[in-house]
């Protein structure tokens, strides 16, 4: 049988904070005799002396100090549990994880975060990053409840919903020093396959990793983000596709050269994605905000300024 109660721990905490039994009684809106009874009952149930009453004022014994320290952890956990239960009953999630694909700069959603926190709902927001197919994988595996910038088509066998944010035009680029810079256009697959490509590594854990713009058998340098990919192409150590808006300043300055390809790559579309059966209020709030034309345009505009090179 459990011999501790939250009421007894609250009384012990109040006595320590207020400095005396009478002050604790006043703080807890109880009569002093009730506080004394609860302490005596706790000592009896545990079979230990919690207060040393030999002096002018009762002081905690070593056992009492240990009980107070650990008891405060229990009180904090109980308070957090009560809060979570109330939030669950109100429909607000305890925590919401939002994953952003590597093409979407995190700061773009900071204004929305500020608005969300003004809701005073207590939902904790966790921001993570995923790459390419890893965005869909995060939803399927439960690592995230919402993804901003999930690319391409969703896995058909899962209950996923999505709203298209926009499209990004990718173009094939090389540095002026790269061997492909002097090869006549349009480049053929047989021209490209003998040269190293650079790609951002897919973060999928369970779903099959996706790839785009990489030819079968082509040597590939895998990097963690688009910023590193751009830097590798500027250095001339690899070739590959880049978002047109990201490459444009370097095309104008001559640090990159656009090469026409025989088989043109289709524009990539990016989505706001979530599990269709999720109904939490926090998730619905974010979906409603991010689905508006204003925020779709805002996200796509931010991609143009994405990850300038080191």
């Amino acid at each position: 049988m459990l011999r501790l109660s939250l009421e007894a721990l609250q009384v012990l905490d109040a006595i320590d904070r207020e400095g005396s039994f009478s002050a604790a009684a006043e703080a807890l809106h109880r009569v002093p005799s009730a506080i004394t009874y609860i302490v005596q009952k706790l000592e009896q149930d545990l079979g230990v002396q919690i207060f040393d009453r030999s002096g002018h004022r009762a002081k905690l014994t070593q056992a009492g100090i240990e009980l107070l320290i650990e008891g405060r952890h229990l009180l904090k956990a109980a308070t957090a549990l009560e809060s979570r239960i109330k939030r669950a009953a109100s429909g607000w999630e305890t925590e919401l994880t939002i994953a952003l694909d590597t093409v979407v700069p995190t700061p773009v959603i900071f204004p929305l975060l500020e608005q969300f926190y003004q809701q005073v709902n207590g939902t904790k927001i966790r921001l993570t990053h995923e790459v390419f197919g890893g965005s869909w994988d995060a939803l399927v595996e439960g690592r995230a409840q919402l993804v901003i910038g999930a690319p391409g088509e969703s896995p058909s066998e899962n209950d996923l919903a999505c709203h298209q944010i926009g499209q990004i035009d990718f173009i094939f680029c090389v540095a002026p020093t790269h061997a492909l810079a002097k090869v006549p256009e349009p480049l053929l697959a047989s021209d490209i396959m003998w040269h190293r490509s650079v790609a951002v590594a897919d973060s999928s854990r369970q779903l099959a990793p996706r790839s785009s713009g990489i030819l079968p058998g082509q040597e590939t340098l895998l990097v963690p983000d688009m910023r590193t990919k751009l830097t590798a192409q500027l250095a001339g150590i690899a070739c590959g596709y880049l978002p047109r808006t990201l490459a444009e300043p370097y095309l104008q300055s001559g640090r990159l050269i656009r090469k026409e390809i025989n088989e043109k790559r289709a524009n990539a579309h990016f989505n706001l994605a979530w599990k269709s059966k999720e109904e939490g209020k926090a998730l619905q709030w974010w979906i409603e905000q991010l689905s508006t034309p204003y925020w779709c345009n805002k996200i796509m505009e931010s991609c143009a300024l994405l990850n300038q090179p080191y």
Side-chain angles (χ1 to χ4, degrees):
M1 179 182 295
L2 187 64
R3 300 181 184 274
L4 283 173
S5 69
L6 292 178
E7 180 187 38
L9 293 175
Q10 287 174 328
V11 166
L12 187 62
D13 176 66
I15 294 171
D16 181 71
R17 291 182 186 278
E18 302 298 328
S20 68
F21 280 53
S22 58
E26 184 176 351
L28 295 174
H29 307 291
R30 308 285 290 270
V31 296
S33 59
I35 299 299
T36 300
Y37 171 78
I38 290 173
V39 172
Q40 290 176 342
K41 181 71 165 53
L42 180 60
E43 290 179 321
Q44 180 182 343
D45 289 342
L46 294 178
V48 298
Q49 188 176 0
I50 297 174
F51 283 95
D52 179 359
R53 299 172 177 81
S54 60
H56 176 70
R57 176 176 293 182
K59 294 182 179 180
L60 285 168
T61 62
Q62 188 58 43
I65 293 172
E66 288 295 324
L67 179 59
L68 176 64
I69 293 172
E70 297 302 324
R72 281 174 171 164
H73 292 314
L74 292 176
L75 287 173
K76 184 177 181 180
T79 301
L81 175 60
E82 182 179 357
S83 178
R84 289 198 299 271
I85 291 172
K86 288 180 178 179
R87 286 202 298 269
S90 70
W92 291 95
E93 300 91 318
T94 302
E95 181 173 312
L96 181 72
T97 299
I98 302 175
L100 292 88
D101 189 88
T102 188
V103 300
V104 181
T106 304
V108 70
I109 66 166
F110 285 173
L112 267 184
L113 271 175
E114 185 175 1
Q115 292 179 35
F116 181 78
Y117 287 137
Q118 292 173 359
Q119 305 291 314
V120 193
N121 52 59
T123 300
K124 179 194 297 183
I125 297 296
R126 183 185 301 273
L127 300 179
T128 63
H129 282 105
E130 297 289 345
V131 182
F132 210 23
S135 296
W136 299 110
D137 186 84
L139 290 175
V140 172
E141 294 300 312
R143 297 197 303 278
Q145 288 75 55
L146 179 67
V147 172
I148 304 174
E153 302 297 328
S154 68
S156 58
E157 69 275 12
N158 296 284
D159 296 325
L160 302 180
C162 62
H163 174 85
Q164 185 169 320
I165 298 173
Q167 296 186 349
I168 294 180
D169 181 18
F170 280 81
I171 57 177
F172 191 84
C173 299
V174 296
T177 56
H178 195 278
L180 286 174
K182 294 182 171 57
V183 176
E185 299 173 276
L187 297 181
L188 304 176
S190 57
D191 296 321
I192 299 171
M193 69 176 297
W194 302 110
H195 298 273
R196 183 184 306 106
S197 177
V198 57
V200 181
D202 191 297
S203 61
S204 292
R205 300 180 187 178
Q206 297 296 325
L207 298 179
R210 300 186 182 191
S211 63
S212 181
I214 301 175
L215 298 171
Q218 186 179 18
E219 180 185 353
T220 306
L221 168 64
L222 295 177
V223 295
D225 51 46
M226 190 66 72
R227 180 182 185 183
T228 310
K229 174 177 165 62
L230 171 59
T231 306
Q233 290 188 224
L234 287 169
I237 62 174
C239 60
Y241 289 88
L242 290 169
R244 180 191 294 273
T245 52
L246 181 60
E248 191 62 39
Y250 307 99
L251 296 174
Q252 293 180 6
S253 67
R255 295 185 64 191
L256 285 176
I257 296 175
R258 179 185 179 181
K259 301 292 288 187
E260 294 294 336
I261 307 298
N262 186 46
E263 296 182 8
K264 191 172 182 180
R265 173 178 169 173
N267 289 352
H269 64 269
F270 292 87
N271 307 282
L272 182 69
W274 63 94
K275 278 198 171 181
S276 58
K277 295 181 179 179
E278 295 282 351
E279 299 178 348
K281 289 184 178 179
L283 176 62
Q284 295 306 314
W285 186 92
W286 280 93
I287 292 172
E288 289 175 9
Q289 300 299 318
L290 290 169
S291 297
T292 62
Y294 172 82
W295 275 104
C296 288
N297 292 334
K298 194 80 173 174
I299 291 169
M300 296 311 297
E301 288 171 2
S302 73
C303 295
L305 304 174
L306 171 70
N307 294 331
Q308 296 302 308
Y310 297 101

